[in-house]
Amino acid sequence: MKLNKTAIFGCMAAMALASCQETPVTPTGDAVVGFESATVEAGMGSSYIHIPIVTTGESSVYPIKVYIEDSGYTGMNAAREGIDYILTSNEILIASPESTPSVEVSLLTVEDFNELNFELVIADQENAQGIGLDRVSVHCTKSELDKICGRWNVVGEKLEDPDTGEMSEYSEIWTISNNGGRPVITGMLGYTDAEITGYFNEEERTLTFYMGEGCDMFTEVEDLTLTDGTVIESAYVGPCLLNKTFTTLQASFTLVGTVNEDATRIVWDIQNNFGIALLLFSHDDYKTVLKGGVIMDKPVFIDNNTITKR
């Protein structure tokens, strides 16, 4: 009798397990997934590019999964997967018909080449009813702005005491990137996340950044108490130009840099005895200098107004 009871309990457990397992659902509909275009032209000013995937129609089951592979392209300036670039994910999930997915590609050797080419294919998919454009050719080229992009050495001196003129050595790294054809500097005066966006004149090989009042700021501060006891509820911290004796301040200025032919050196047009300092600006759309001109940090003077590519 014990054996029989064990057998009965075993059958009941098996029946319960079977009832908990989900029944596979066969997707229905007319969803077709594929690359948006047969060719993609991309710059090389950023370490990442994105290749759109589109879906037409609908499926009864989501997410749709798309599996991406390298096609093994061997033509001119062929990029090697795992060496020149990597797919950050081989599996793309499309959560709904409204999703706008893309294949993210990380370029690994942008400093070494002016052109890279590769092809990707959709090897398989799940939950859609078909694959449309299953192959894309990606052509990456460096624009003149892309050639400037990268990490730049900034070396100079920082004023320590305006009364005595005492200086200290100063160095940092600026990163220049290409955002939709416009140059962006990050890393200025230690603010690694602050972006200063400007303009590039390819013919004249000049970078132009409008800075200070009304322009991009580095960060914001709240509940700041000054040395005289004044409390500032909120303000922006941004760049200004300041001379060594703290007697002349430019709350707004244009920073113009001329790039040499091989994009290894930028010479900035900063007048003599002026350095880049930090100033408080109003926390509103106007971003005007606060009354009294509150200096947040002493000026930095770049050696020969020149920075060099790393």
Short mmCIF file of all heavy atoms in Angstrom, two decimals, residues 176-226:
data_model
loop_
_atom_site.label_atom_id
_atom_site.label_comp_id
_atom_site.label_asym_id
_atom_site.label_seq_id
_atom_site.Cartn_x
_atom_site.Cartn_y
_atom_site.Cartn_z
N ILE A 176 37.61 66.40 -27.43
CA ILE A 176 36.82 67.03 -28.49
C ILE A 176 36.10 65.93 -29.26
O ILE A 176 36.71 64.95 -29.69
CB ILE A 176 37.70 67.87 -29.43
CG1 ILE A 176 38.39 68.99 -28.65
CG2 ILE A 176 36.88 68.46 -30.57
CD1 ILE A 176 39.32 69.85 -29.49
N SER A 177 34.79 66.09 -29.44
CA SER A 177 33.99 65.11 -30.16
C SER A 177 33.13 65.81 -31.20
O SER A 177 33.01 67.05 -31.21
CB SER A 177 33.13 64.28 -29.20
OG SER A 177 32.31 65.13 -28.42
N ASN A 178 32.52 65.02 -32.06
CA ASN A 178 31.69 65.53 -33.16
C ASN A 178 30.25 65.18 -32.86
O ASN A 178 29.87 64.01 -32.86
CB ASN A 178 32.15 64.91 -34.48
CG ASN A 178 31.34 65.40 -35.67
OD1 ASN A 178 30.33 66.07 -35.52
ND2 ASN A 178 31.80 65.06 -36.86
N ASN A 179 29.43 66.19 -32.63
CA ASN A 179 28.01 65.96 -32.37
C ASN A 179 27.21 66.59 -33.51
O ASN A 179 26.93 67.78 -33.51
CB ASN A 179 27.60 66.57 -31.03
CG ASN A 179 26.16 66.27 -30.67
OD1 ASN A 179 25.45 65.58 -31.41
ND2 ASN A 179 25.70 66.78 -29.55
N GLY A 180 26.87 65.76 -34.51
CA GLY A 180 26.08 66.24 -35.63
C GLY A 180 26.75 67.32 -36.44
O GLY A 180 26.08 68.21 -36.96
N GLY A 181 28.08 67.24 -36.55
CA GLY A 181 28.81 68.23 -37.32
C GLY A 181 29.28 69.43 -36.52
O GLY A 181 29.89 70.35 -37.08
N ARG A 182 29.02 69.43 -35.22
CA ARG A 182 29.48 70.52 -34.37
C ARG A 182 30.47 69.99 -33.34
O ARG A 182 30.26 68.91 -32.76
CB ARG A 182 28.29 71.19 -33.67
CG ARG A 182 27.34 71.90 -34.63
CD ARG A 182 26.22 72.58 -33.90
NE ARG A 182 26.70 73.61 -32.99
CZ ARG A 182 25.91 74.34 -32.19
NH1 ARG A 182 24.60 74.11 -32.18
NH2 ARG A 182 26.41 75.26 -31.40
N PRO A 183 31.56 70.72 -33.09
CA PRO A 183 32.55 70.27 -32.12
C PRO A 183 32.05 70.46 -30.69
O PRO A 183 31.38 71.46 -30.39
CB PRO A 183 33.75 71.16 -32.42
CG PRO A 183 33.15 72.42 -32.96
CD PRO A 183 31.93 71.99 -33.73
N VAL A 184 32.40 69.52 -29.83
CA VAL A 184 32.03 69.60 -28.41
C VAL A 184 33.28 69.36 -27.57
O VAL A 184 34.02 68.39 -27.80
CB VAL A 184 30.96 68.55 -28.06
CG1 VAL A 184 30.66 68.58 -26.56
CG2 VAL A 184 29.69 68.78 -28.85
N ILE A 185 33.53 70.24 -26.62
CA ILE A 185 34.65 70.08 -25.68
C ILE A 185 34.10 69.63 -24.34
O ILE A 185 33.15 70.21 -23.81
CB ILE A 185 35.43 71.39 -25.49
CG1 ILE A 185 36.18 71.78 -26.77
CG2 ILE A 185 36.44 71.25 -24.35
CD1 ILE A 185 36.95 73.08 -26.63
N THR A 186 34.70 68.59 -23.78
CA THR A 186 34.43 68.19 -22.40
C THR A 186 35.76 68.13 -21.65
O THR A 186 36.81 67.91 -22.25
CB THR A 186 33.73 66.82 -22.32
OG1 THR A 186 34.51 65.85 -23.03
CG2 THR A 186 32.35 66.88 -22.94
N GLY A 187 35.69 68.33 -20.34
CA GLY A 187 36.89 68.23 -19.52
C GLY A 187 37.52 69.56 -19.18
O GLY A 187 38.54 69.59 -18.49
N MET A 188 36.93 70.66 -19.61
CA MET A 188 37.52 71.97 -19.36
C MET A 188 37.45 72.32 -17.88
O MET A 188 36.40 72.21 -17.25
CB MET A 188 36.81 73.04 -20.20
CG MET A 188 37.47 74.40 -20.16
SD MET A 188 36.64 75.61 -21.25
CE MET A 188 37.10 74.97 -22.85
N LEU A 189 38.58 72.72 -17.32
CA LEU A 189 38.71 73.11 -15.91
C LEU A 189 38.20 72.02 -14.97
O LEU A 189 37.62 72.30 -13.91
CB LEU A 189 38.00 74.44 -15.64
CG LEU A 189 38.50 75.65 -16.45
CD1 LEU A 189 37.87 76.93 -15.93
CD2 LEU A 189 40.01 75.74 -16.43
N GLY A 190 38.40 70.77 -15.39
CA GLY A 190 38.07 69.64 -14.53
C GLY A 190 36.65 69.15 -14.61
O GLY A 190 36.31 68.14 -13.97
N TYR A 191 35.79 69.80 -15.38
CA TYR A 191 34.39 69.38 -15.49
C TYR A 191 34.25 68.36 -16.61
O TYR A 191 33.99 68.70 -17.76
CB TYR A 191 33.49 70.60 -15.71
CG TYR A 191 33.31 71.43 -14.47
CD1 TYR A 191 34.21 72.44 -14.17
CD2 TYR A 191 32.28 71.17 -13.57
CE1 TYR A 191 34.07 73.20 -13.01
CE2 TYR A 191 32.13 71.92 -12.41
CZ TYR A 191 33.03 72.93 -12.14
OH TYR A 191 32.89 73.67 -10.99
N THR A 192 34.43 67.10 -16.25
CA THR A 192 34.49 66.03 -17.25
C THR A 192 33.16 65.74 -17.92
O THR A 192 33.13 65.14 -18.99
CB THR A 192 35.02 64.74 -16.60
OG1 THR A 192 34.18 64.39 -15.48
CG2 THR A 192 36.45 64.92 -16.11
N ASP A 193 32.05 66.17 -17.31
CA ASP A 193 30.73 65.90 -17.89
C ASP A 193 30.13 67.12 -18.60
O ASP A 193 29.14 66.99 -19.30
CB ASP A 193 29.75 65.43 -16.81
CG ASP A 193 30.14 64.09 -16.22
OD1 ASP A 193 30.74 63.28 -16.95
OD2 ASP A 193 29.88 63.86 -15.03
N ALA A 194 30.72 68.29 -18.39
CA ALA A 194 30.17 69.51 -18.98
C ALA A 194 30.55 69.60 -20.45
O ALA A 194 31.70 69.41 -20.83
CB ALA A 194 30.68 70.73 -18.22
N GLU A 195 29.56 69.89 -21.29
CA GLU A 195 29.79 69.96 -22.73
C GLU A 195 29.69 71.41 -23.21
O GLU A 195 28.71 72.10 -22.96
CB GLU A 195 28.76 69.12 -23.49
CG GLU A 195 28.85 67.63 -23.18
CD GLU A 195 27.89 66.80 -24.01
OE1 GLU A 195 26.97 67.40 -24.61
OE2 GLU A 195 28.07 65.58 -24.08
N ILE A 196 30.73 71.85 -23.90
CA ILE A 196 30.75 73.17 -24.52
C ILE A 196 30.69 72.96 -26.03
O ILE A 196 31.61 72.38 -26.62
CB ILE A 196 32.02 73.95 -24.14
CG1 ILE A 196 32.16 74.05 -22.62
CG2 ILE A 196 32.02 75.33 -24.79
CD1 ILE A 196 31.05 74.82 -21.95
N THR A 197 29.60 73.37 -26.65
CA THR A 197 29.36 73.11 -28.07
C THR A 197 29.67 74.35 -28.89
O THR A 197 29.28 75.46 -28.54
CB THR A 197 27.91 72.68 -28.31
OG1 THR A 197 27.62 71.52 -27.52
CG2 THR A 197 27.67 72.35 -29.78
N GLY A 198 30.38 74.14 -30.02
CA GLY A 198 30.78 75.27 -30.86
C GLY A 198 30.55 75.01 -32.33
O GLY A 198 29.64 74.26 -32.72
N TYR A 199 31.40 75.60 -33.15
CA TYR A 199 31.29 75.52 -34.61
C TYR A 199 32.67 75.28 -35.22
O TYR A 199 33.69 75.71 -34.66
CB TYR A 199 30.70 76.82 -35.16
CG TYR A 199 29.33 77.14 -34.61
CD1 TYR A 199 29.19 77.88 -33.44
CD2 TYR A 199 28.19 76.68 -35.25
CE1 TYR A 199 27.94 78.15 -32.92
CE2 TYR A 199 26.93 76.96 -34.73
CZ TYR A 199 26.82 77.69 -33.57
OH TYR A 199 25.57 77.96 -33.05
N PHE A 200 32.69 74.60 -36.36
CA PHE A 200 33.94 74.33 -37.06
C PHE A 200 33.87 74.87 -38.47
O PHE A 200 32.94 74.55 -39.22
CB PHE A 200 34.22 72.82 -37.09
CG PHE A 200 35.46 72.45 -37.86
CD1 PHE A 200 36.70 72.95 -37.50
CD2 PHE A 200 35.38 71.61 -38.97
CE1 PHE A 200 37.84 72.62 -38.21
CE2 PHE A 200 36.51 71.27 -39.68
CZ PHE A 200 37.75 71.77 -39.30
N ASN A 201 34.82 75.70 -38.84
CA ASN A 201 34.95 76.21 -40.19
C ASN A 201 36.04 75.41 -40.88
O ASN A 201 37.23 75.60 -40.61
CB ASN A 201 35.29 77.71 -40.17
CG ASN A 201 35.31 78.33 -41.56
OD1 ASN A 201 35.87 77.77 -42.50
ND2 ASN A 201 34.69 79.48 -41.70
N GLU A 202 35.62 74.49 -41.77
CA GLU A 202 36.58 73.59 -42.39
C GLU A 202 37.56 74.33 -43.29
O GLU A 202 38.75 73.99 -43.32
CB GLU A 202 35.83 72.52 -43.20
CG GLU A 202 36.74 71.48 -43.82
CD GLU A 202 35.97 70.35 -44.45
OE1 GLU A 202 34.84 70.07 -44.02
OE2 GLU A 202 36.51 69.74 -45.40
N GLU A 203 37.08 75.33 -44.00
CA GLU A 203 37.95 76.06 -44.93
C GLU A 203 39.04 76.81 -44.17
O GLU A 203 40.21 76.80 -44.57
CB GLU A 203 37.12 77.03 -45.76
CG GLU A 203 37.93 77.80 -46.79
CD GLU A 203 37.07 78.70 -47.64
OE1 GLU A 203 35.82 78.55 -47.60
OE2 GLU A 203 37.64 79.55 -48.34
N GLU A 204 38.67 77.47 -43.08
CA GLU A 204 39.64 78.23 -42.30
C GLU A 204 40.30 77.40 -41.21
O GLU A 204 41.24 77.86 -40.56
CB GLU A 204 38.96 79.45 -41.67
CG GLU A 204 38.40 80.42 -42.70
CD GLU A 204 37.72 81.61 -42.06
OE1 GLU A 204 37.68 81.67 -40.80
OE2 GLU A 204 37.24 82.48 -42.79
N ARG A 205 39.79 76.19 -40.99
CA ARG A 205 40.29 75.27 -39.96
C ARG A 205 40.26 75.94 -38.58
O ARG A 205 41.24 75.89 -37.82
CB ARG A 205 41.70 74.78 -40.31
CG ARG A 205 41.76 73.99 -41.60
CD ARG A 205 43.10 73.30 -41.79
NE ARG A 205 43.36 72.30 -40.76
CZ ARG A 205 42.80 71.09 -40.72
NH1 ARG A 205 41.95 70.72 -41.65
NH2 ARG A 205 43.11 70.24 -39.76
N THR A 206 39.12 76.54 -38.27
CA THR A 206 38.97 77.19 -36.97
C THR A 206 37.82 76.59 -36.19
O THR A 206 36.77 76.25 -36.75
CB THR A 206 38.73 78.70 -37.12
OG1 THR A 206 37.60 78.92 -37.98
CG2 THR A 206 39.96 79.39 -37.68
N LEU A 207 38.02 76.47 -34.89
CA LEU A 207 36.98 76.08 -33.94
C LEU A 207 36.54 77.34 -33.20
O LEU A 207 37.39 78.12 -32.73
CB LEU A 207 37.52 75.06 -32.94
CG LEU A 207 37.97 73.71 -33.50
CD1 LEU A 207 38.82 72.99 -32.46
CD2 LEU A 207 36.78 72.87 -33.89
N THR A 208 35.23 77.53 -33.06
CA THR A 208 34.71 78.71 -32.39
C THR A 208 33.71 78.30 -31.32
O THR A 208 32.76 77.56 -31.61
CB THR A 208 34.02 79.67 -33.39
OG1 THR A 208 34.97 80.06 -34.39
CG2 THR A 208 33.50 80.91 -32.68
N PHE A 209 33.93 78.79 -30.10
CA PHE A 209 33.03 78.50 -28.99
C PHE A 209 32.62 79.82 -28.33
O PHE A 209 33.48 80.62 -27.96
CB PHE A 209 33.72 77.61 -27.95
CG PHE A 209 34.12 76.26 -28.47
CD1 PHE A 209 35.35 76.08 -29.09
CD2 PHE A 209 33.27 75.18 -28.37
CE1 PHE A 209 35.71 74.85 -29.59
CE2 PHE A 209 33.62 73.94 -28.86
CZ PHE A 209 34.85 73.77 -29.47
N TYR A 210 31.31 80.03 -28.22
CA TYR A 210 30.79 81.20 -27.51
C TYR A 210 30.60 80.81 -26.05
O TYR A 210 29.86 79.86 -25.74
CB TYR A 210 29.49 81.67 -28.15
CG TYR A 210 29.68 82.10 -29.59
CD1 TYR A 210 29.33 81.25 -30.64
CD2 TYR A 210 30.26 83.33 -29.90
CE1 TYR A 210 29.53 81.62 -31.97
CE2 TYR A 210 30.47 83.71 -31.22
CZ TYR A 210 30.10 82.86 -32.24
OH TYR A 210 30.30 83.23 -33.55
N MET A 211 31.25 81.54 -25.16
CA MET A 211 31.32 81.12 -23.77
C MET A 211 30.95 82.25 -22.82
O MET A 211 31.02 83.43 -23.16
CB MET A 211 32.74 80.61 -23.46
CG MET A 211 33.18 79.50 -24.42
SD MET A 211 34.86 78.91 -24.13
CE MET A 211 34.60 77.99 -22.62
N GLY A 212 30.53 81.85 -21.62
CA GLY A 212 30.18 82.83 -20.60
C GLY A 212 28.70 83.14 -20.60
O GLY A 212 27.86 82.24 -20.70
N GLU A 213 28.35 84.41 -20.47
CA GLU A 213 26.95 84.82 -20.35
C GLU A 213 26.07 84.27 -21.47
O GLU A 213 26.41 84.38 -22.65
CB GLU A 213 26.84 86.35 -20.34
CG GLU A 213 27.18 86.98 -19.01
CD GLU A 213 26.78 88.45 -18.96
OE1 GLU A 213 26.86 89.14 -19.99
OE2 GLU A 213 26.40 88.91 -17.87
N GLY A 214 24.95 83.66 -21.07
CA GLY A 214 23.98 83.15 -22.03
C GLY A 214 24.37 81.88 -22.75
O GLY A 214 23.63 81.40 -23.61
N CYS A 215 25.51 81.31 -22.40
CA CYS A 215 26.02 80.15 -23.15
C CYS A 215 26.05 78.89 -22.26
O CYS A 215 25.49 78.87 -21.18
CB CYS A 215 27.42 80.46 -23.68
SG CYS A 215 27.46 81.90 -24.79
N ASP A 216 26.71 77.85 -22.76
CA ASP A 216 26.82 76.60 -22.02
C ASP A 216 27.52 76.81 -20.68
O ASP A 216 28.54 77.51 -20.60
CB ASP A 216 27.60 75.56 -22.83
CG ASP A 216 26.87 75.14 -24.09
OD1 ASP A 216 25.64 75.23 -24.12
OD2 ASP A 216 27.54 74.72 -25.06
N MET A 217 26.98 76.19 -19.65
CA MET A 217 27.55 76.27 -18.31
C MET A 217 28.19 74.93 -17.94
O MET A 217 27.91 73.89 -18.54
CB MET A 217 26.48 76.63 -17.30
CG MET A 217 25.90 78.03 -17.49
SD MET A 217 27.02 79.33 -16.94
CE MET A 217 27.18 80.32 -18.42
N PHE A 218 29.04 74.97 -16.92
CA PHE A 218 29.70 73.75 -16.46
C PHE A 218 28.84 72.94 -15.51
O PHE A 218 28.75 71.72 -15.59
CB PHE A 218 31.04 74.08 -15.79
CG PHE A 218 32.10 74.54 -16.74
CD1 PHE A 218 33.10 75.40 -16.32
CD2 PHE A 218 32.13 74.11 -18.05
CE1 PHE A 218 34.09 75.83 -17.19
CE2 PHE A 218 33.10 74.52 -18.93
CZ PHE A 218 34.09 75.39 -18.49
N THR A 219 28.20 73.62 -14.55
CA THR A 219 27.39 72.94 -13.55
C THR A 219 26.50 73.96 -12.86
O THR A 219 26.51 75.14 -13.23
CB THR A 219 28.29 72.21 -12.51
OG1 THR A 219 27.47 71.38 -11.69
CG2 THR A 219 29.04 73.19 -11.65
N GLU A 220 25.73 73.54 -11.89
CA GLU A 220 24.91 74.45 -11.10
C GLU A 220 25.14 74.18 -9.62
O GLU A 220 25.50 73.06 -9.22
CB GLU A 220 23.44 74.30 -11.45
CG GLU A 220 22.88 72.90 -11.34
CD GLU A 220 21.45 72.82 -11.85
OE1 GLU A 220 20.54 73.07 -11.04
OE2 GLU A 220 21.26 72.50 -13.03
N VAL A 221 24.95 75.20 -8.81
CA VAL A 221 25.14 75.07 -7.36
C VAL A 221 23.89 75.59 -6.66
O VAL A 221 23.16 76.42 -7.20
CB VAL A 221 26.38 75.86 -6.88
CG1 VAL A 221 27.65 75.23 -7.41
CG2 VAL A 221 26.30 77.32 -7.29
N GLU A 222 23.65 75.10 -5.46
CA GLU A 222 22.50 75.52 -4.65
C GLU A 222 22.95 75.85 -3.24
O GLU A 222 23.91 75.26 -2.72
CB GLU A 222 21.43 74.43 -4.63
CG GLU A 222 20.80 74.15 -6.00
CD GLU A 222 19.72 73.09 -5.92
OE1 GLU A 222 19.61 72.44 -4.86
OE2 GLU A 222 19.01 72.91 -6.92
N ASP A 223 22.22 76.77 -2.63
CA ASP A 223 22.46 77.15 -1.22
C ASP A 223 23.94 77.42 -0.97
O ASP A 223 24.56 76.85 -0.07
CB ASP A 223 21.94 76.06 -0.28
CG ASP A 223 20.45 75.83 -0.43
OD1 ASP A 223 19.74 76.82 -0.68
OD2 ASP A 223 20.00 74.68 -0.33
N LEU A 224 24.49 78.32 -1.75
CA LEU A 224 25.90 78.66 -1.64
C LEU A 224 26.05 79.90 -0.74
O LEU A 224 25.43 80.93 -0.98
CB LEU A 224 26.47 78.95 -3.02
CG LEU A 224 27.94 79.37 -3.08
CD1 LEU A 224 28.83 78.22 -2.66
CD2 LEU A 224 28.30 79.83 -4.49
N THR A 225 26.87 79.79 0.32
CA THR A 225 27.13 80.90 1.22
C THR A 225 28.50 81.50 0.90
O THR A 225 29.51 80.81 0.99
CB THR A 225 27.08 80.46 2.69
OG1 THR A 225 25.80 79.88 2.97
CG2 THR A 225 27.32 81.64 3.61
N LEU A 226 28.53 82.78 0.53
CA LEU A 226 29.78 83.45 0.20
C LEU A 226 30.51 83.87 1.47
O LEU A 226 29.97 83.82 2.58
CB LEU A 226 29.49 84.67 -0.68
CG LEU A 226 28.69 84.39 -1.96
CD1 LEU A 226 28.52 85.68 -2.76
CD2 LEU A 226 29.37 83.32 -2.81
#
